[in-house]
Amino acid sequence: MNEKLRSIQEVAQLAGTTSRALRHYDDIGLLPPAQIGSNGYRYYNQANLTRLQRILLLRQLGLGLGQIADVLDGTQDDTIALEDHAEWLRSEQARLSRQLASVERTIAALKEGTELMAEEMLDGFDHTQYQDEVEQRWGKKAYAESDSWWRGLSQSDKDEFKRQTDALMMDWVAASRSGDAVDSEMAQALATRHVDWLSIGWGGTRPTRDQLLGLGEMYVADERFAANFGGIQGATYVRDALAIHAQTMAT
Amino acid sequence: MNEKLRSIQEVAQLAGTTSRALRHYDDIGLLPPAQIGSNGYRYYNQANLTRLQRILLLRQLGLGLGQIADVLDGTQDDTIALEDHAEWLRSEQARLSRQLASVERTIAALKEGTELMAEEMLDGFDHTQYQDEVEQRWGKKAYAESDSWWRGLSQSDKDEFKRQTDALMMDWVAASRSGDAVDSEMAQALATRHVDWLSIGWGGTRPTRDQLLGLGEMYVADERFAANFGGIQGATYVRDALAIHAQTMAT
DNA sequence: CTTGACTTTGACGTTGCGTCAAGCTCTACG
DNA sequence: CGTAGAGCTTGACGCAACGTCAAAGTCAAG
């Protein structure tokens, strides 16, 4: 007695998948049907069904078809393949967690009505680990002044300030990657611009030499600041360039 | 003074992406360059850079380019888009968690050296919530016998038994979805096969009428069993067919 | 014989670019 | 001024796993 053969549609319904998927599995050689009629029709036997069952099981565990082929053909051990896969799932989970945290932070920042970068650069003072240091160096009123100044701006003023901020940051990044020395003309020009930019944010008050040095250190030490300059390396470049510039400042 | 224009390569480096990506963003209209030279070269200005910066920020939060376009063009609100995205991230996280749990259960099952289905069907007796019920109905020795029988089989015997098991399950699924009544000839033939199959697993001992009824209930009540019959509906069909069959059995 | 259900082989769409490939352009050097 | 080497352009395929038409042959029932 020869085995019972089933059409592609029957098989798809039995296994809870689609005929298209079965054709795909055939195309990639994962599940060739037991027989192919002279009309080109695919006919599947019991062994095919069993294999399909295992394919679908592994699929719903999230394995790729290539992996599944390896496992079913004995090229790779089931347990090892699944443990690798579990490891991958865990890393994906971790990645999603981080992404979700970032998104939630961003939402929170947006809801406070402050642009992310402006928030980080201006409002960041009061919730970093450097809060005490910052306060004793500039005093709480310095931040408060900056804050009230910011809130008093019109939307277009805010946009314009943000544009300036963005441009400055990007120029710093460009400079740090150009290979130019921190005491080069270009870097020092940027340092001058940076001081000007700071004084805008501080309502016209210009930073003292010590404040400038302290700011530089903070850029390097706090990754949230450093990120604006293209990471630690960029921040280091900015700090050094500002330090050079500070020497030329009037006391 | 006209703005400083940068080449595609420069922009890519500044922003930490690739020229290919920039060309792609141009292709889909997400970031057309400020100017295009007569030679076809793309030239970007500061506004382009700012927009690119925001694009990349949203990208690393995991948003799709379409969503990003909506947000940047003001078609959609930032906060709403991000909250939708956060919701999607959470659902993905949940999906991954379930998948990971499944994979880990499967690994555990494999490590015990027992095939998943055989394990569920034969070895499942001693760790279900029905353990007490099962024991008082069939006694511990019934399971023990089945277990020792199983362990005594050769690999090819095990494979053969598994093939039979698979075939029976799939036929049940097919029958339950065919719409045939539980007292139809086809369903009752399957019930007969089911009893035969059970007696193989029990080393030749045939189930009594009560045992058969009890088994049917268990198939429905325990999702691990039900899964083998295509879910609750399939298991219900099996239970009912077995109940009909039980009436025809010799006491 | 007709009709309707089922099957076949293409082939494009999805998502965000990576990766050649062929050919034009720009820049610096001798 | 010629040329090499870098940079730029527009295609076009590849990836993962099928979904979704489309055109056309096949089969079973009336």
Side-chain angles (χ1 to χ4, degrees), chain B residues 116-162:
Chain B
L116 189 60
M117 182 170 283
E119 201 260 340
E120 296 268 312
M121 294 304 291
L122 297 175
D123 197 37
F125 290 106
D126 70 354
H127 55 207
T128 72
Q129 54 174 311
Y130 302 100
Q131 179 171 8
D132 293 341
E133 188 188 342
V134 168
E135 281 183 16
Q136 83 180 54
R137 196 168 285 181
W138 294 295
K140 268 224 151 181
K141 61 180 175 1
Y143 163 64
E145 278 175 18
S146 169
D147 188 57
S148 67
W149 161 80
W150 175 254
R151 298 189 192 286
L153 291 182
S154 70
Q155 188 57 47
S156 65
D157 283 345
K158 287 184 182 178
D159 287 348
E160 173 55 25
F161 181 71
K162 185 157 162 30

Side-chain angles (χ1 to χ4, degrees), chain A residues 172 182-183 187-188 190-192 194-195 208-217 219-220 235-249:
Chain A
W172 271 123
V182 292
D183 59 356
Q188 288 307 304
L190 274 177
T192 304
H194 195 97
V195 171
T208 66
R209 187 180 299 179
D210 285 345
Q211 285 175 343
L212 202 54
L213 295 173
L215 265 177
E217 293 302 335
Y219 292 160
V220 173
T236 303
Y237 184 91
V238 174
R239 179 197 62 186
D240 294 343
L242 290 181
I244 299 287
H245 179 80
Q247 296 174 9
T248 73
M249 288 170 62

Side-chain angles (χ1 to χ4, degrees), chain A residues 46-146:
Chain A
Q46 186 58 43
N48 290 152
L49 284 173
T50 303
R51 187 179 170 90
L52 174 57
Q53 196 174 239
R54 301 191 61 186
I55 290 172
L56 294 178
L57 195 159
L58 293 174
R59 271 257 55 193
Q60 81 185 22
L61 293 183
L63 272 81
L65 296 184
Q67 288 283 312
I68 293 178
D70 289 344
V71 170
L72 293 188
D73 299 342
T75 306
Q76 198 182 169
D77 181 54
D78 315 39
T79 309
I80 294 178
L82 286 178
E83 276 174 347
D84 285 355
H85 183 55
E87 206 39 55
W88 150 258
L89 283 176
R90 273 186 279 268
S91 70
E92 274 296 284
Q93 251 189 344
R95 198 176 58 79
L96 282 185
S97 289
R98 281 177 310 215
Q99 229 175 41
L100 184 55
S102 287
V103 171
E104 283 170 340
R105 275 198 306 259
T106 306
I107 290 175
L110 285 175
K111 280 197 171 165
E112 282 177 27
T114 61
E115 297 288 331
L116 188 60
M117 180 169 285
E119 202 260 339
E120 294 270 311
M121 295 304 290
L122 299 174
D123 197 37
F125 291 105
D126 70 354
H127 56 207
T128 72
Q129 53 175 313
Y130 303 99
Q131 178 171 6
D132 293 342
E133 188 187 341
V134 169
E135 281 182 15
Q136 83 180 53
R137 196 167 286 180
W138 295 293
K140 269 226 149 178
K141 61 179 175 0
Y143 164 64
E145 278 175 19
S146 169

